[in-house]
Amino acid sequence: MPVATTTTGRRPLTTAPTNTREDAPAVDASGETGTGFAARVSLGRVFAPVPSEFLLIASTALILTGFGLMMVLSATMATSVAAGDSPFEVVMKQAAFAIIGIPLMFLCSRMPVRFWKKIAWPALILATLFQLLVFIPGLGVTNDGNQNWIQIAGFQAQPSEFLKLSLALWLGYVLYRKQSLLRSWKHVFIPVVPVGGLVIGLVAVGSHDLGTGLILMAILLGCLFFSGVRLRMFLVPLLLVIFAAVYFAVTSPNRMARIMSSLVNFDSTACYNAAVGDCYQAVHGVWALANGGLFGLGLGNSREKYGWLPAKSNDYIFAILGEELGLIGCAVVLVLFTLFAVGAFHIIRKTHDPFIRIVSGGIIVWIVGQAIVNTGVVLRLFPVLGVPLPFLSQGGTSLLSVLLACGVLLSFARTLPQPPAAAPAVAAPARRVR
């Protein structure tokens, strides 16, 4: 076939034949196919460097979880053997929730922020319906006057633990959507106060669990505070929370007895000789801390766990920690909680998204505030409220909910703006020597 020539009489430059098949792999400048290049980019994103806040929160959460499994084993092995069970009976159940919760934490860390915004309403609705199961006869379980557990086929769970995270997400989403309207009273209180009051009422009034109810109140106040509402608008919900807490306390003889026992002098005869009275557990908790001293009796050598301290593996596990590992062990745990709080507050300070700031504030008020309350109860600074020590206390649903909350914080940490990389230094040209 003759080849056409140009006006200059020269033959035109011929190009390489192109592959017109749609399924043919594209070739980049380096000669690699587009599929291989995309796979390499995706793999690079998985192993991309993460912010220091991510590492701080993840490492402290993992260390505290391991610390908690060790202390649950130490606190329960003696009573398990006495009951004819394996010494690992209790800790294996706790470890099962840790094995489930840790992968879920890192899975949640991969979720985008828009995912948490979308599930805010469904999560609160599902958690509320889950909480309503405690009122069904045959499912609800009563413990120390609180009907806040369910039991199905030997499996026991505390639904209110999931209300904490879902309430923080819901408050963050609602207050985020109303950022430009938070100067108005009605937009601050509706629907925050009615819905929040309903959720808190299900736990504090319906289930008679004032300790968990107070934590939910603290989450609500924390989210309002970090949303940036005016101080005078923040004071009204604060006064409502204080009034509700006082009302729930004085209307319950059991709660009033626990409050009064915390006000009794430790050296008084009435408290010292209370073998089965309201001071019993508080006194033995202080004795456990006193026995530990500076360095402790050694891991596994607690004396109070042999039937003297009833809530040794949940509400009073900090006392067993102090008895076996001493003041140094207690200080290490408190430092870990402090580092966890520092990582969360860095997220609040660096983010530009109000939703991230509000939800992070609610989560940190929940976890760190609950840790402060639990340790304060053991030290007799607060009355017995029945709230577990996050990460450490026995309780699978408590551990699972806290690890999920850490996953949310890790997801937020991935969105933080990173400092610009430093430009490589350019060597100065060598001076010519004449």
Side-chain angles (χ1 to χ4, degrees):
M1 179 178 181
V3 179
T5 59
T6 60
T7 56
T8 59
R10 298 179 181 178
R11 297 178 61 182
L13 295 177
T14 58
T15 58
T18 58
N19 194 338
T20 58
R21 292 174 54 190
E22 294 181 358
D23 58 345
V27 180
D28 61 7
S30 62
E32 297 184 1
T33 63
T35 304
F37 180 73
R40 192 173 67 176
V41 170
S42 299
L43 189 63
R45 289 175 179 174
V46 172
F47 294 99
V50 292
S52 59
E53 291 80 10
F54 184 100
L55 298 175
L56 189 59
I57 293 173
S59 59
T60 51
L62 292 176
I63 294 172
L64 285 170
T65 301
F67 220 110
L69 293 175
M70 179 180 68
M71 293 311 305
V72 168
L73 172 62
S74 177
T76 59
M77 61 188 308
T79 52
S80 296
V81 171
D85 299 324
S86 168
F88 306 100
E89 179 75 17
V90 178
V91 74
M92 289 304 294
K93 295 179 181 178
Q94 186 80 354
F97 284 94
I99 293 173
I100 297 172
I102 292 175
L104 282 179
M105 178 180 73
F106 288 107
L107 178 63
C108 291
S109 72
R110 307 297 304 185
M111 298 300 176
V113 177
R114 64 178 180 274
F115 170 79
W116 303 114
K117 294 177 181 179
K118 288 181 179 180
I119 70 166
W121 271 103
L124 183 65
I125 293 172
L126 290 176
T128 304
L129 294 176
F130 191 34
Q131 177 65 26
L132 291 175
L133 294 179
V134 303
F135 304 111
I136 298 178
L139 289 180
V141 177
T142 302
N143 186 11
D144 293 333
N146 298 340
Q147 189 176 350
N148 205 18
W149 287 264
I150 60 172
Q151 187 166 1
I152 303 174
F155 172 78
Q156 189 165 321
Q158 189 173 1
S160 59
E161 291 296 328
F162 298 108
L163 272 176
K164 299 173 182 177
L165 177 58
S166 60
L167 181 63
L169 288 171
W170 179 82
L171 287 169
Y173 180 71
V174 170
L175 294 173
Y176 153 76
R177 292 292 301 272
K178 293 192 170 189
Q179 275 293 294
S180 60
L181 304 173
L182 293 182
R183 294 179 178 271
S184 172
W185 286 89
K186 62 179 181 180
H187 288 290
V188 172
F189 283 84
I190 298 175
V192 170
V193 173
V195 176
L198 174 64
V199 171
I200 296 170
L202 282 176
V203 177
V205 180
S207 302
H208 308 287
D209 189 351
L210 181 59
T212 305
L214 288 175
I215 298 299
L216 291 171
M217 296 177 192
I219 293 173
L220 190 149
L221 291 176
C223 290
L224 282 175
F225 178 81
F226 287 103
S227 68
V229 298
R230 292 182 176 181
L231 183 60
R232 64 175 180 267
M233 296 183 183
F234 178 77
L235 288 177
V236 175
L238 177 62
L239 294 176
L240 290 175
V241 166
I242 295 175
F243 174 78
V246 173
Y247 174 78
F248 292 145
V250 299
T251 54
S252 172
N254 182 27
R255 297 182 189 123
M256 282 302 299
R258 286 187 287 177
I259 293 173
M260 296 307 297
S261 67
S262 66
L263 301 178
V264 176
N265 185 9
F266 179 74
D267 296 326
S268 67
T269 305
C271 187
Y272 197 82
N273 295 330
V276 292
D278 299 318
C279 294
Y280 177 79
Q281 189 149 234
V283 169
H284 282 276
V286 174
W287 283 352
L289 293 173
N291 290 337
L294 181 61
F295 298 103
L297 302 178
L299 188 63
N301 294 329
S302 169
R303 299 166 185 169
E304 292 292 334
K305 69 182 181 182
Y306 290 96
W308 298 106
L309 199 56
K312 56 185 176 297
S313 62
N314 36 61
D315 295 349
Y316 273 81
I317 198 167
F318 190 75
I320 303 299
L321 171 69
E323 186 179 13
E324 295 188 350
L325 302 181
L327 178 62
I328 294 178
C330 293
V332 169
V333 170
L334 294 179
V335 167
L336 288 173
F337 274 109
T338 303
L339 294 176
F340 180 86
V342 169
F345 277 117
H346 277 194
I347 295 176
I348 296 173
R349 182 176 61 86
K350 293 182 179 180
T351 186
H352 302 297
D353 191 336
F355 174 78
I356 293 178
R357 183 175 65 249
I358 298 169
V359 176
S360 300
I363 291 175
I364 198 63
V365 167
W366 157 26
I367 296 178
V368 177
Q370 191 167 305
I372 293 173
V373 170
N374 181 276
T375 54
V377 167
V378 176
L379 296 172
R380 298 197 75 220
L381 300 176
F382 306 125
V384 178
L385 295 174
V387 295
L389 183 60
F391 298 106
L392 274 76
S393 291
Q394 176 192 353
T397 47
S398 174
L399 178 61
L400 185 59
S401 64
V402 169
L403 289 175
L404 289 175
C406 291
V408 175
L409 290 178
L410 296 179
S411 172
F412 294 163
R414 290 183 182 274
T415 66
L416 296 181
Q418 296 301 306
V426 180
R431 299 181 61 183
R432 180 180 298 179
V433 181
R434 296 183 179 178

